[in-house]
Amino acid sequence: MGEAPTSGMVVIGDEILSGRTRDANMHHLAGRLTEAGAPLSEVRVVADEHDLIVEAVQALSARHAYVFTSGGIGPTHDDITADAVAAAFGAAIDVREDARAILLARYGDESLLTEARLRMARIPQGASLIENPVSGAPGFRLGNVFVMAGVPSVFEAMVQSALPQIDGGPPVLSHALRLPVPEGDLAGPLKAVAETHAQVSFGSYPFYAPPTVEGGRGAFGATVVARSADRAALSEAAASLRVMAAELGVADMAEETPPAG
């Protein structure tokens, strides 16, 4: 079984880095790309600065099969993503008639296509458009880079439009067990399980459960997540995790299995 192609993401915007806006797009994209078999493996967050965007796009484009950007393709002066992506590929950029026609259909009046709004129709030469059914203004794909809006509802719609262009491997499945065992006690046994299941990746995510009665003591535990594109290998790993849990004295555990099929 060959390795699945990987994806990268560039999140663009001063408002993300300042803490004014909480990014939701990475979480959404990660889930969709996992389903598409081109998992997200690297993310950069950069300010609205031309050279930083160019460098990030070039670096991730060279390293991954697909790159997705979010933010910076609106009508304001600091929306410079389209220009930066064009520069990253050495492509010319200008208002393109098909993108302009989409905006005109959206606004319905030529007089409303102001200079600011026409910035959203500036498309690099050689790019293909990404449909935006929410607000009209299209994104675009240039090479292996998909350029999309930062507003979550628009970003999600654009991701849906772009997904048919993704040639991924099999989706990555996961199996999770929530264990009332401190992570320090779990580390050794989990390492032993991981060493016997080379086709599966394992992660351990600690949690704290507060006391159920006033004055009681809370408990530490960890959720163990196994991931693989091979359903049979994942099933075998899950069985090993159950044995491990029993050996650690866990009689009852919360378990999340992948869908059948």
Side-chain angles (χ1 to χ4, degrees):
M1 181 180 298
E3 292 188 6
T6 61
S7 298
M9 182 181 188
V10 184
V11 180
I12 300 160
D14 293 342
E15 70 278 9
I16 301 293
L17 290 167
S18 70
R20 182 178 179 84
T21 299
R22 185 189 299 272
D23 176 67
N25 294 335
M26 181 183 70
H27 178 265
H28 176 77
L29 182 65
R32 298 308 308 273
L33 290 177
T34 295
E35 295 169 357
L40 190 61
S41 63
E42 182 176 5
V43 178
R44 291 196 188 185
V45 184
V46 300
D48 294 307
E49 295 184 22
H50 181 274
D51 291 349
L52 290 178
I53 300 170
V54 170
E55 192 278 330
V57 167
Q58 289 178 334
L60 271 63
S61 175
R63 205 153 41 237
H64 302 288
Y66 306 104
V67 177
F68 298 81
T69 76
S70 72
I73 60 171
T76 61
H77 72 283
D78 59 345
D79 287 317
I80 59 173
T81 298
D83 293 88
V85 172
F89 283 88
I93 181 170
D94 204 346
V95 173
R96 211 168 79 180
E97 282 307 308
D98 53 353
R100 186 182 188 281
I102 290 172
L103 293 181
L104 180 58
R106 186 74 177 186
Y107 290 105
D109 189 327
E110 189 81 32
S111 66
L112 296 178
L113 290 185
T114 61
E115 181 180 351
R117 285 175 173 150
L118 281 175
R119 286 178 58 81
M120 297 186 290
R122 299 179 73 252
I123 306 295
Q125 186 174 7
S128 57
L129 299 184
I130 298 174
E131 182 185 3
N132 170 11
V134 176
S135 61
F140 63 85
R141 176 182 182 176
L142 185 59
N144 64 340
V145 178
F146 295 81
V147 178
M148 298 181 287
V151 177
S153 60
V154 181
F155 179 84
E156 292 173 14
M158 286 184 168
V159 169
Q160 185 64 29
S161 297
L163 282 176
Q165 301 180 51
I166 301 300
D167 186 16
V172 178
L173 306 172
S174 65
H175 189 107
L177 285 82
R178 183 178 169 91
L179 305 175
V181 179
E183 195 173 33
D185 296 338
L186 190 62
L190 181 58
K191 180 181 179 182
V193 171
E195 289 174 347
T196 63
H197 296 277
Q199 289 181 280
V200 181
S201 66
F202 296 85
S204 174
Y205 307 95
F207 64 82
Y208 172 73
T212 56
V213 295
E214 186 175 353
R217 298 182 62 183
F220 290 93
T223 298
V224 176
V225 181
R227 297 183 179 89
S228 179
D230 186 321
R231 185 177 291 275
L234 184 64
S235 179
E236 293 173 4
S240 294
L241 289 175
R242 293 190 199 98
V243 171
M244 177 196 75
E247 292 174 347
L248 289 168
V250 178
D252 187 25
M253 73 193 84
E255 192 164 359
E256 179 183 317
T257 60

